[in-house]
Amino acid sequence: LATFMLRLFPASITLNIMTLSGLTVAIGRVVDDSIVVLENIFRHLQEGEDKTHALIEGTRDVSVAIFAATVITVVVFLPLGLTGGIIGEFFLPFGLAVTYSLMSSFIVAITVVPVVAYLLLDRNEIADDENSFLERLYEPALKWALANGRNSIIVLVTATISLVIGLGLFATRPLAFLPSFGEPQIAVSVNLPAGTKIVDTNAVVVEFENYLAATFTADQIKSVSTIIGGGGGLESLILGSSSVSENVGTITIGVEHPGELDTLAGEIRTEAERIFGQENVTVSAASLSEQGFGGFALVLSGEQADLQAVNADIVNVLNNVDGLANVSSNVAADASAETAPVTFIRVDLQSAARFTGELETNNTIGVTNLAKQAIQDYLDTNNLADRITVSEGFESRQQTEGFAGLGLAMGIAIVLVILILIVTFGSFVHWLDIILSIIVAPVGAAILLTLTNRVLGISAMIGLLMLIGIVVTNAVVLIDRVQSNRRERHMELRAALLEAGERRLRPILMTALATIGALVPLAVGLSEGAIIASELGTVVIGGLFSSTLLTLIVVPVAYRLLDPLHRRLAINRKDRETSDKVGV
């Protein structure tokens, strides 16, 4: 706990891509508290109250709700710094930027906004309260949902079905630690047989360049850079040698659209192997994210003789996995040659061979799992499973551990949210009303992610984390009004739910639209170079759209169904307290 508290106040933190991403994500959310306060002030003024009284009461009415909502959103992001590992280090600046901006937004909402409203609002300019088109649609729908138990069950079943649909769509999405971003390039490395003259090397390279020019348009390939021959590098500079390797060449191809990188790489590889010969060329494709966090590595552990015997077969097995290319091993393929260098690594004091390759797919984690399964099938078929084990290398392991760390952060966040809800509402039951609202969020996120054909990666998972906070805060604003109706206005349950729904519909819709509007530039891809970008915006917009529509119905229905259990527990608690007093 002490370590975590210290991490909240780092000794040095810069204005970098992660802190800027945090501020970008927070833009839509920082105005939510102010919107709720200002809208409630307007409500009081429209009801004919005195201006000063409207400002004070309008702010007081929602202060507890927006405080709880802000704290909930903050604790959703803070666990990012608790998880440790690459997620903790990578996303701590992001989480801190969101946290401090949201905490500031609450202070502004209950201090600056009422003061500015007092100075700028004119009671005579505020129109009478009239139900909008959405309010006229919402009220009959809520009345129908609360009419009887059958209708309430239909609502909950619909919400559950939406959850199943959302999870099913998520399962169809490619899994990648980070989506492709940065400058996408294809590198073609040519190494013709020794003794090839530079004029002959140039001739085949020109043939390859002609193929590129004739096959692809400028909208697909934006640049081609070619180097024929290779110098001696640093050694030639030191020794004064001017020798040139005439049999080598490098062609770097700039791809216009990152989404076409893997497809183009496969097509170019096929033709490059025909022109140069399969053994004389290597075609690699990668963007900035693949170079940093999208690598592939598997490790086989066992006896050196067994590893050396299966090395070539394993390379062939991996090269046949769709989405993998240029697989190699630290163990020499030609183990029969006496001069072949044979290098082994050790993992947990056991000899091991490391296999690396290039992932030419946006389903990086899915292909890694397919590769592991392909190796395991090979070992089972050849009765080697009890002598050789398969595990992930560093490049692959950091991706799976990153997902696991983020899953842990989401679990911690939900637990903290539940604790805050129990304290805020003073009930061990009604927190379930709000948690149930989370189940309707994934369907919109999954549908929009599927329609835009985007990956389920860290950016999308951060979006889901953010969505938890937003959905819960909308429900908190609604339930706070319900409890206020019952506690202060002594309203019957159904009437309290209907009044709260009508009263809180407008601020909930306004905050949802503000958040959606702020994230549209991210979702449409206007910041392609950002790590937290289009996938996050897509998930939050889709999830917020579905959850806003469904939460306004699901939460009141859940509250009504669970209220008898809440009252029973409350009566039992009072009976125990009375018994204790009598005993004393």
Side-chain angles (χ1 to χ4, degrees):
L1 182 60
T3 302
F4 172 63
M5 294 302 296
L6 289 174
R7 288 170 65 85
L8 296 181
F9 307 97
S12 63
I13 191 167
T14 63
L15 191 64
N16 53 49
I17 192 171
M18 296 309 297
T19 50
L20 287 174
S21 295
L23 293 175
T24 303
V25 167
I27 285 175
R29 179 60 184 83
V30 292
V31 298
D32 286 2
D33 292 346
S34 297
I35 285 175
V36 173
V37 170
L38 193 57
E39 192 278 338
N40 206 44
I41 290 173
F42 264 74
R43 284 276 191 179
H44 282 270
L45 290 173
Q46 288 173 332
E47 292 171 358
E49 295 184 12
D50 171 73
K51 184 176 181 179
T52 301
H53 185 266
L55 290 168
I56 295 173
E57 289 301 312
T59 304
R60 185 190 67 83
D61 282 352
V62 295
S63 58
V64 174
I66 63 173
F67 176 74
T70 301
V71 172
I72 285 170
T73 309
V74 166
V75 301
V76 162
F77 284 101
L78 279 185
L80 288 174
L82 256 180
T83 57
I86 190 170
I87 289 294
E89 295 300 325
F90 204 60
F91 289 99
L92 179 62
F94 172 87
L96 291 180
V98 175
T99 295
Y100 292 136
S101 60
L102 293 185
M103 291 171 64
S104 302
S105 74
F106 169 74
I107 297 173
V108 169
I110 62 172
T111 56
V112 177
V113 169
V115 172
V116 175
Y118 179 81
L119 296 174
L120 300 181
L121 285 182
D122 186 345
R123 175 68 183 82
N124 297 323
E125 295 179 354
I126 297 178
D128 294 333
D129 186 17
E130 295 181 0
N131 286 346
S132 65
F133 172 72
L134 290 176
E135 288 173 322
R136 291 194 295 271
L137 287 179
Y138 172 62
E139 290 177 19
L142 183 58
K143 288 179 181 179
W144 175 85
L146 298 174
N148 52 60
R150 179 179 61 84
N151 293 355
S152 297
I153 294 299
I154 291 174
V155 170
L156 293 182
V157 169
T158 302
T160 304
I161 292 173
S162 74
L163 174 65
V164 174
I165 293 173
L167 295 178
L169 289 175
F170 275 133
T172 65
R173 292 290 80 218
L175 289 174
F177 185 75
L178 288 176
S180 297
F181 64 89
E183 189 74 16
Q185 292 183 337
I186 299 173
V188 181
S189 299
V190 180
N191 191 358
L192 298 175
T196 302
K197 298 298 183 182
I198 196 168
V199 66
D200 297 325
T201 304
N202 183 69
V204 289
V205 169
V206 168
E207 180 185 351
F208 179 71
E209 289 177 327
N210 292 335
Y211 152 75
L212 295 176
T215 307
F216 303 102
T217 64
D219 190 52
Q220 294 175 296
I221 293 179
K222 61 181 180 181
S223 63
V224 177
S225 174
T226 302
I227 299 175
I228 306 296
L234 181 62
E235 181 181 355
S236 64
L237 289 176
I238 295 174
L239 300 179
S241 171
S242 59
S243 61
V244 174
S245 300
E246 300 184 29
N247 62 320
V248 300
T250 303
I251 304 100
T252 303
I253 303 167
V255 177
E256 182 68 27
H257 303 292
E260 298 179 0
L261 179 65
D262 297 328
T263 302
L264 293 178
E267 296 177 11
I268 291 173
R269 178 180 292 106
T270 300
E271 188 64 18
E273 290 177 350
R274 185 193 67 80
I275 293 175
F276 300 109
Q278 184 176 357
E279 68 281 359
N280 299 326
V281 66
T282 301
V283 178
S284 305
S287 65
L288 179 61
S289 60
E290 275 97 24
Q291 294 166 4
F293 295 104
F296 168 85
L298 292 180
V299 174
L300 269 63
S301 302
E303 295 295 329
Q304 290 188 5
D306 292 333
L307 296 175
Q308 193 166 330
V310 303
N311 181 74
D313 288 344
I314 295 297
V315 170
N316 290 333
V317 167
L318 293 177
N319 275 323
N320 287 326
V321 174
D322 189 25
L324 264 180
N326 301 329
V327 177
S328 61
S329 166
N330 62 288
V331 180
D334 186 10
S336 60
E338 295 182 1
T339 59
V342 180
T343 304
F344 292 95
I345 60 175
R346 285 189 174 273
V347 176
D348 294 331
L349 302 180
Q350 191 175 22
S351 297
R354 187 171 184 271
F355 297 85
T356 58
E358 296 172 12
L359 287 161
E360 295 184 347
T361 174
N362 56 6
N363 188 23
T364 56
I365 294 180
V367 169
T368 298
N369 291 332
L370 289 175
K372 288 172 63 178
Q373 186 59 51
I375 293 177
Q376 193 61 54
D377 292 342
Y378 169 85
L379 296 176
D380 291 339
T381 302
N382 292 276
N383 299 318
L384 294 169
D386 57 338
R387 291 151 54 187
I388 298 177
T389 58
V390 187
S391 61
E392 294 177 352
F394 172 75
E395 292 86 342
S396 297
R397 188 172 65 249
Q398 72 174 354
Q399 298 176 55
T400 55
E401 288 181 353
F403 268 97
L406 195 51
L408 175 63
M410 294 178 72
I412 294 173
I414 291 176
V415 171
L416 292 176
V417 166
I418 291 172
L419 293 176
I420 293 171
L421 292 176
I422 291 174
V423 173
T424 301
F425 295 124
S427 172
F428 290 100
V429 174
H430 281 310
W431 63 269
L432 282 169
D433 314 331
I434 297 175
I435 293 300
L436 283 174
S437 66
I438 295 176
I439 72 174
V440 300
V443 60
I447 289 174
L448 197 55
L449 206 63
T450 303
L451 291 177
T452 55
N453 195 30
R454 285 172 171 158
V455 301
L456 182 60
I458 293 297
S459 181
M461 296 288 281
I462 295 289
L464 289 174
L465 195 63
M466 181 179 177
L467 200 55
I468 291 173
I470 296 175
V471 170
V472 169
T473 57
N474 285 342
V476 166
V477 170
L478 180 61
I479 295 300
D480 177 73
R481 181 68 183 187
V482 174
Q483 293 203 327
S484 177
N485 284 341
R486 303 194 69 191
R487 183 177 58 251
E488 299 176 9
R489 301 171 185 86
H490 309 292
M491 298 174 67
E492 181 267 332
L493 176 59
R494 186 170 183 273
L497 290 168
L498 290 173
E499 195 276 345
E502 178 187 355
R503 185 87 177 199
R504 294 296 189 239
L505 174 66
R506 193 163 65 183
I508 288 175
L509 291 178
M510 291 170 67
T511 55
L513 289 174
T515 304
I516 289 174
L519 291 175
V520 165
L522 286 180
V524 299
L526 296 182
S527 54
E528 292 185 356
I531 295 175
I532 305 298
S534 56
E535 286 76 15
L536 180 144
T538 301
V539 164
V540 175
I541 289 174
L544 195 53
F545 183 80
S546 65
S547 66
T548 300
L549 294 179
L550 294 175
T551 296
L552 289 166
I553 301 295
V554 172
V555 171
V557 166
Y559 189 100
R560 182 169 181 266
L561 292 176
L562 291 171
D563 192 63
L565 177 59
H566 163 73
R567 286 188 283 113
R568 181 174 299 177
L569 292 176
I571 291 173
N572 291 338
R573 184 170 65 250
K574 289 180 180 178
D575 290 343
R576 287 195 299 271
E577 291 174 355
T578 302
S579 300
D580 291 341
K581 290 179 181 179
V582 171
V584 172

